[in-house]
């Protein structure tokens, strides 16, 4: 391999080899495959990297400030080949950093030479910066810090003022509709300054992610949460010294830059700036891209249509595509930067209330004007990771900062979305008809409408699941709900306090606005009525925490919690049981109703009223059932009594047996039908729709074999 590389190097210097961009990209991939040989041959990786730098020099950078090429681009094949060459260098450096560590300074000089001669694009600079950090890792934290300072100091000086301690006004000037159309009208592109910010933000994010020690956030979190004991203070100090914060010099300005960028991007979607974007013909840039639409579709005509429209948009509306990509990258990168800061300097960030207030201001700003998919991205990239890693002693600060602003907005979006989806079910037949006619229809507007509806439905389901995840974090931030926790006391009160009730009470009492706690209760019952299995399962956990919290004798909340939420929980659980979608959650829903009846039916009027609203259930029947439940020593028997009670009504019984064609309930009634034995027939003909017919396991497998043939 080394001889072939040397011969190739000599031939390229003499001008004997002239390969196209695509061939050079394939050649770089081949060299990358030889990288792992450097684990046993340390003299090979430097030669591989040298050849890759030579390949990079044979391709001139067409546009230094251009955005990175994504996907199978046929327009800029040279730029795509350069990016693949740089990626090959990064993978080799990450695979064998020890072999390349002695050559760190020559590598840095080579990168600086390419940058100073304007022969290195922003995307390539970020990839090579990661490669340098990977090579510097074996030298220890001090060396990594030096490389990090060398890479990030130009970014800091370009967008941050050390004298004022604030982000430069240039950043705010770039995020305006006027700046998007101010320059390069003929080329239909953004200005070079826009792309400089674009690449610098990505460089900052990639450097923070690459230099994260250990590659695991759990180790960092463990050091933060462990309290030093009297016997192990020295061991605790040694553990903390192992996780040296490598970005300590860049925390302040990176947080300020990230929060300012996120605020500016959100401001673009306000009604005032949306009208200005429409006046400069950039309204389409505020909508999801066709690639995002295609990601939400199954393979078929609609997906092909979305991908085709995306390619056409790149060719005809380059300015719209550029603005959309610029806004999306700045939005996501700003959230990722703050999240990475919480990993690098978790102890400093979580214990600082001013940072929490700053983040809360950014999260709540212009939240109601954002799209559902944007809110979902914020929760997925930032809110949930930060809350899940938050130490217990700082939990009240950060749950107040992140949950209080977004919980009312999530409830509004979910309730409005599912209400609208319910009204649109009437016209589902017409949508199905148009979907079946896609093979013969060529109406672009019909295709676009169907694609937008599919994307809207997926966004609604995703944001509903994020609401369930937030509720789950509130009631069980440590994941103790539903687990058997070892405690010295075995009383029901202590078990309820540990199994979710205590966390929920602490969160409610820490809220400055009592209405936020009321909204959380409404959100739990609302999520249980949604036609989404994952959301319902998380809502069940939250409602179990509510039931546990209502049974805890805590003077901070009084005795009104059970009265305010008990009946609503019963209504929501019965509604969820009446849907065939929730058949796999039948046991959890029945267990929830059993807990409510066991703990609060005798003391709460709302629970009794909710049960008496079920057809067929009278007061005497309910009292007798509660007496039988109180005598049961088995939870399984108690749940069986609750199921028997719910099936007393004729309407629920019809739903349970599935005799009606309107709906099929999740409540299942066991039958005593005989199973078919061997090849004989007992209980009816399998070809008929006989409810007593049952199939053996061998017959089921035989049926699958027929289909496979």
């Amino acid at each position: 391999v080394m001889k072939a590389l040397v011969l190739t190097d000599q031939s390229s210097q003499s001008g004997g080899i002239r390969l196209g961009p695509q061939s050079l990209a394939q050649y770089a991939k081949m060299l990358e495959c030889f990288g792992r040989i450097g684990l046993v041959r340390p003299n090979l990786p430097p030669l591989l990297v040298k050849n890759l730098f030579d390949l990079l020099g044979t391709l001139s950078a067409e546009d230094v400030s251009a955005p990175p090429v994504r996907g199978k681009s046929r327009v800029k094949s040279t730029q795509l080949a350069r990016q693949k060459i740089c990626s090959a260098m990064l993978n080799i450096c990450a695979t064998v950093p020890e072999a390349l560590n002695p050559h760190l300074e020559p590598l840095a000089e080579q990168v600086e030479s390419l940058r100073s001669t304007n022969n290195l694009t922003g995307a390539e600079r970020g990839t090579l910066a990661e490669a340098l950090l990977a090579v510097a890792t074996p030298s220890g934290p001090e060396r990594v810090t030096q490389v990090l300072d060398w890479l990030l100091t130009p970014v800091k000086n370009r967008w941050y003022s050390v004298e004022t301690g604030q982000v430069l006004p240039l950043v705010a000037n770039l995020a305006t509709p006027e700046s998007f159309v101010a320059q390069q009208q003929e080329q239909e592109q953004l200005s070079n300054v826009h792309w400089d910010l674009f690449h610098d933000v990505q460089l900052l994010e990639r450097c923070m992610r690459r230099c994260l020690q250990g590659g695991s956030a759990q180790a960092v979190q463990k050091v933060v949460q462990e309290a030093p004991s009297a016997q192990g203070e020295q061991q605790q100090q040694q553990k903390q010294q192992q996780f040296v914060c490598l970005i300590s010099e860049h925390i302040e300005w990176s947080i300020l830059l990230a929060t300012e960028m996120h605020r500016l991007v959100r401001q673009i979607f306000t009604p005032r700036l949306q009208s200005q974007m429409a006046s400069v013909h950039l309204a389409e840039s505020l909508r999801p891209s066709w690639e995002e639409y295609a990601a939400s579709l199954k393979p078929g005509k609609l997906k092909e249509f979305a991908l085709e429209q995306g390619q056409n948009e790149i060719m005809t509306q380059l300015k719209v595509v550029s603005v959309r990509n610029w806004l999306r990258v700045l939005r996501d990168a700003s959230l990722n930067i703050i999240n990475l800061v919480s990993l690098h300097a978790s102890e400093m960030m979580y214990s600082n209330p001013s940072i929490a207030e700053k983040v809360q201001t950014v999260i709540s700003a212009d939240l109601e004007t954002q799209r559902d998919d944007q809110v979902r991205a914020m929760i997925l990239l930032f809110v949930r990771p930060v809350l899940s890693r938050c130490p217990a002693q700082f939990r009240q600060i950060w749950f107040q900062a992140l949950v209080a602003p977004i919980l009312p907005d999530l409830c509004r979006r979910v309730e409005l979305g599912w209400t609208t989806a319910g009204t649109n079910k009437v016209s589902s037949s017409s949508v199905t008809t148009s979907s079946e006619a896609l093979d013969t229809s060529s109406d672009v507007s019909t295709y676009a409408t169907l694609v937008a509806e599919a994307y809207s439905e997926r966004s609604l389901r995703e944001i509903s699941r994020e609401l369930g995840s937030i509720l789950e974090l509130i009631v069980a931030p440590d994941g103790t709900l539903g687990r058997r926790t070892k405690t010295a006391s075995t009383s029901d009160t202590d078990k309820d306090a540990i199994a979710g009730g205590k966390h929920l009470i602490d969160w409610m009492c820490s809220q400055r606005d009592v209405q936020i706690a009321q909204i959380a209760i409404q959100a739990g019952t609302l999520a249980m009525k949604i036609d989404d299995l994952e959301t319902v399962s998380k809502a069940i956990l939250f409602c179990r925490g509510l039931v546990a919290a209502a049974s805890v004798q805590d003077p901070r909340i009084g005795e009104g919690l059970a009265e305010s939420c008990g009946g609503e929980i019963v209504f929501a659980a019965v509604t969820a049981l009446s849907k065939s979608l929730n058949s796999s959650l039948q046991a959890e829903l029945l267990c929830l109703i059993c807990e409510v009846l066991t703990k609060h039916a005798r003391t709460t009027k709302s629970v009794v009223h909710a049960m008496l609203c079920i057809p067929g259930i009278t007061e005497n029947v309910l009292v007798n059932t509660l007496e039988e439940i109180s005598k049961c020593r088995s939870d399984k028997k108690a749940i069986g009594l609750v199921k028997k009670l719910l099936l007393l009504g004729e309407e629920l019984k019809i739903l349970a047996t599935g005799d009606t064609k309107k709906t099929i309930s999740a409540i299942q009634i066991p039958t005593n039908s005989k199973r078919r034995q061997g090849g004989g027939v007992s209980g009816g003909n399998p070809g008929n729709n006989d409810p007593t017919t049952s199939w053996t396991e061998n017959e089921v497998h035989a049926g699958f074999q027929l289909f496979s043939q």
Side-chain angles (χ1 to χ4, degrees):
V1 173
M2 293 182 61
K3 291 180 179 179
L5 291 176
V6 172
L7 292 176
T8 304
D9 185 24
Q10 295 175 356
S11 299
S12 61
Q13 292 178 0
S14 61
I17 293 181
R18 290 292 183 267
L19 299 177
Q22 186 176 2
S23 300
L24 289 176
Q26 294 175 352
Y27 181 57
K29 185 65 178 178
M30 182 195 70
L31 296 181
E32 178 188 343
C33 295
F34 292 126
R36 295 188 62 84
I37 302 177
L39 295 173
V40 294
R41 296 291 298 272
N43 55 340
L44 178 61
L47 186 58
L48 293 175
V49 174
K50 179 181 180 301
N51 276 266
L52 288 172
F53 269 115
D54 293 339
L55 291 181
L56 191 64
T58 59
L59 297 174
S60 60
E62 298 175 353
D63 189 358
V64 177
S65 299
V69 178
R70 296 184 296 111
K72 297 180 180 179
S73 177
R74 299 180 180 179
V75 180
K76 296 184 178 181
S77 57
T78 301
Q79 185 178 350
L80 184 61
R82 289 177 58 90
Q83 290 177 193
K84 290 185 177 180
I85 293 173
C86 293
S87 298
M89 277 191 274
L90 170 60
N91 294 331
I92 293 174
C93 293
T95 303
V96 284
E98 293 82 4
L100 293 170
N101 184 260
H103 307 275
L104 177 60
E105 292 186 1
L107 290 176
E109 293 176 357
Q110 186 76 13
V111 173
E112 178 62 22
S113 175
L114 292 173
R115 189 197 64 82
S116 60
T117 56
N118 291 330
N119 198 26
L120 197 66
T121 65
E124 297 161 5
R125 177 166 57 102
T127 304
L128 294 181
E130 280 196 72
L132 292 176
L133 288 173
V135 173
T137 301
S139 298
E142 295 184 359
R143 189 67 164 175
V144 175
T145 304
Q146 293 177 0
V147 176
L148 199 63
D149 293 341
W150 177 68
L151 294 171
L152 295 183
T153 299
V155 179
K156 175 182 177 181
N157 297 334
R158 191 177 292 118
W159 310 109
Y160 178 78
S161 175
V162 180
E163 293 77 10
T164 61
Q166 298 293 331
V167 178
L168 293 177
L170 177 61
V171 178
N173 296 334
L174 292 176
T176 58
E178 294 80 6
S179 66
F180 294 149
V181 295
Q183 296 181 3
Q184 299 187 6
Q185 288 284 353
E186 298 180 356
Q187 299 181 5
E188 286 293 324
Q189 266 286 6
L190 294 177
S191 65
N192 292 337
V193 184
H194 282 93
W195 294 122
D196 288 342
L197 178 61
F198 179 94
H199 294 304
D200 285 348
V201 169
Q202 285 191 322
L203 174 65
L204 177 60
E205 178 189 352
R206 297 178 72 167
C207 289
M208 285 187 174
R209 196 180 302 277
R210 173 60 61 174
C211 66
L212 185 62
Q213 290 183 334
S216 174
Q218 297 178 355
V220 181
Q221 177 66 5
K222 185 176 180 180
V223 173
V224 175
Q225 291 185 345
E226 286 182 353
S229 59
Q231 298 178 355
E233 290 185 358
Q234 294 181 355
Q235 296 179 356
Q236 182 70 17
Q237 292 178 359
Q238 292 178 358
K239 289 182 179 180
Q240 292 181 356
Q241 290 177 359
Q242 294 177 359
F243 296 98
V244 180
C245 181
L246 301 177
I247 63 167
S248 57
E249 298 296 329
H250 308 280
I251 291 178
E252 181 180 0
W253 70 268
S254 60
I255 290 180
L256 291 176
L257 179 61
T259 53
E260 179 67 10
M261 287 189 305
H262 196 73
R263 183 189 68 82
L264 293 172
V265 172
R266 281 193 171 193
Q267 191 176 6
I268 293 292
F269 292 86
T270 57
R272 180 179 63 86
L273 290 183
Q274 278 187 3
S275 60
Q276 295 183 16
M277 293 288 285
S279 63
V280 295
H281 308 289
L282 291 177
E284 291 290 332
S285 62
L286 303 182
R287 300 175 184 175
S289 64
W290 286 104
E291 288 79 5
E292 293 174 304
Y293 282 140
S296 62
L297 298 172
K298 297 179 180 179
K301 287 288 184 179
L302 283 180
K303 192 179 185 70
E304 295 175 2
F305 168 77
L307 294 175
E308 182 181 356
Q309 290 296 112
Q311 293 294 331
N312 295 337
E313 190 179 41
I314 293 176
M315 300 298 297
T316 59
Q317 295 180 320
L318 184 58
K319 176 63 73 67
V320 171
V321 176
S322 300
V323 173
R324 184 192 294 124
N325 293 338
W326 190 84
L327 293 174
R328 186 184 69 250
V329 168
L330 261 64
R331 179 199 69 199
D332 295 345
S334 60
L335 295 174
N336 289 330
I337 288 171
I338 304 176
N339 184 27
L340 289 169
V341 169
S342 68
L343 288 172
H344 282 278
S346 53
E347 186 175 5
M348 186 205 73
M349 179 174 172
Y350 282 116
S351 61
N352 194 335
S354 61
I355 298 180
E357 293 177 359
K358 180 71 173 177
V359 173
Q360 180 180 6
T361 303
V362 176
I363 291 298
S364 58
D366 303 319
L367 183 60
E368 66 281 355
T369 61
Q370 307 302 302
R371 300 194 311 259
D372 287 352
D373 58 325
Q374 293 174 324
V375 176
R376 190 251 179 181
M378 175 191 68
I379 298 174
L380 185 65
L381 296 177
F382 175 68
V383 176
R384 282 174 53 190
V386 171
L387 291 180
S388 61
R389 294 191 302 265
C390 182
Q393 61 269 29
F394 308 124
R395 193 169 289 155
Q396 293 184 1
I397 299 175
W398 284 92
F399 271 72
Q400 171 66 29
L402 299 183
V403 176
I406 65 175
L407 190 59
D409 184 76
L410 279 178
C411 293
R412 177 187 63 82
R413 292 174 184 271
V414 171
E415 184 175 9
L416 179 61
W418 285 104
T419 303
T420 306
T423 57
N424 291 338
K425 285 183 179 180
V426 180
S427 60
S428 61
S429 59
S430 61
V431 175
T432 305
T433 304
S434 60
S435 299
E436 294 174 354
L438 287 179
D439 293 335
T440 58
S441 174
S442 59
D443 188 3
V444 176
S445 61
T446 303
Y447 276 68
T449 302
L450 293 174
V451 169
E453 289 177 355
Y455 184 78
S456 177
E457 180 182 355
R458 176 170 178 172
S459 298
L460 178 59
R461 290 189 179 275
E462 288 177 343
I463 201 170
S464 301
R465 293 169 184 175
E466 296 302 331
L467 173 62
S469 300
I470 295 297
L471 296 176
E472 190 178 18
L473 283 172
I474 292 174
V475 74
D478 294 329
T480 57
L481 187 59
R483 299 180 183 177
R484 296 185 178 273
T485 310
K486 297 180 180 180
T487 55
S489 175
T490 58
S491 63
D492 292 337
T493 303
D494 291 339
K495 289 182 180 179
D496 290 338
I498 293 171
K502 179 180 180 300
H503 300 304
L504 187 57
I505 292 173
D506 292 341
W507 178 79
M508 288 182 175
C509 296
S510 65
Q511 298 303 306
R512 301 170 187 173
D513 189 0
V514 182
Q515 189 177 3
I516 300 297
Q518 297 175 353
I519 292 175
I521 297 174
Q522 297 174 4
T525 56
L526 171 66
M528 215 175 336
K529 302 175 184 177
I530 290 175
D531 296 338
D532 186 77
L533 188 64
E534 183 177 343
T535 305
V536 173
S537 64
K538 295 177 180 179
I540 292 173
L541 294 179
F542 180 77
C543 290
R544 287 185 60 194
L546 279 176
V547 175
S551 62
V552 174
Q553 302 298 327
D554 196 313
R556 295 179 294 173
I557 61 172
E559 300 179 355
L561 182 59
E563 186 69 40
S564 61
C565 68
E568 294 295 331
I569 292 176
V570 173
F571 275 126
V574 173
T575 303
L577 278 173
S578 65
K579 299 178 180 179
S580 59
L581 178 68
N582 302 323
S583 59
S584 60
L585 299 176
Q586 178 186 132
E588 288 80 358
L589 290 168
L590 290 173
C591 181
L592 175 62
I593 298 176
C594 183
E595 290 181 3
V596 177
L597 294 178
T598 304
K599 299 176 181 178
H600 305 295
R602 300 182 183 277
T603 58
T604 306
K605 295 181 180 180
S606 63
V607 175
V608 177
H609 174 71
M611 294 299 299
L612 294 179
C613 289
I614 300 176
I617 298 180
T618 61
E619 187 173 357
N620 293 332
V621 174
L622 180 60
V623 172
N624 294 333
T625 304
L626 291 177
E627 285 291 335
E628 294 180 9
I629 292 176
S630 63
K631 297 177 183 179
C632 287
R633 296 183 178 180
S634 171
D635 294 338
K636 185 177 181 180
K637 292 182 179 180
I639 294 174
L641 292 173
V642 172
K643 182 176 181 178
K644 182 179 179 182
L645 176 65
L646 293 175
L647 294 175
L648 288 176
E650 292 297 329
E651 295 184 7
L652 276 179
K653 185 176 293 186
I654 292 175
L655 292 174
T657 56
D659 292 338
T660 177
K661 296 181 180 180
K662 296 181 180 180
T663 181
I664 299 177
S665 173
I667 304 180
Q668 303 168 1
I669 295 180
T671 60
N672 295 324
S673 59
K674 297 181 179 180
R675 297 188 61 86
R676 293 168 52 88
Q677 302 294 334
V681 179
S682 64
N685 185 3
N688 299 331
N689 294 328
D690 190 353
T692 62
T693 301
S694 180
W695 296 90
T696 63
E697 184 177 359
N698 293 332
E699 291 172 334
V700 172
H701 287 298
F704 280 119
Q705 291 177 1
L706 290 175
F707 283 106
S708 62
Q709 295 175 358

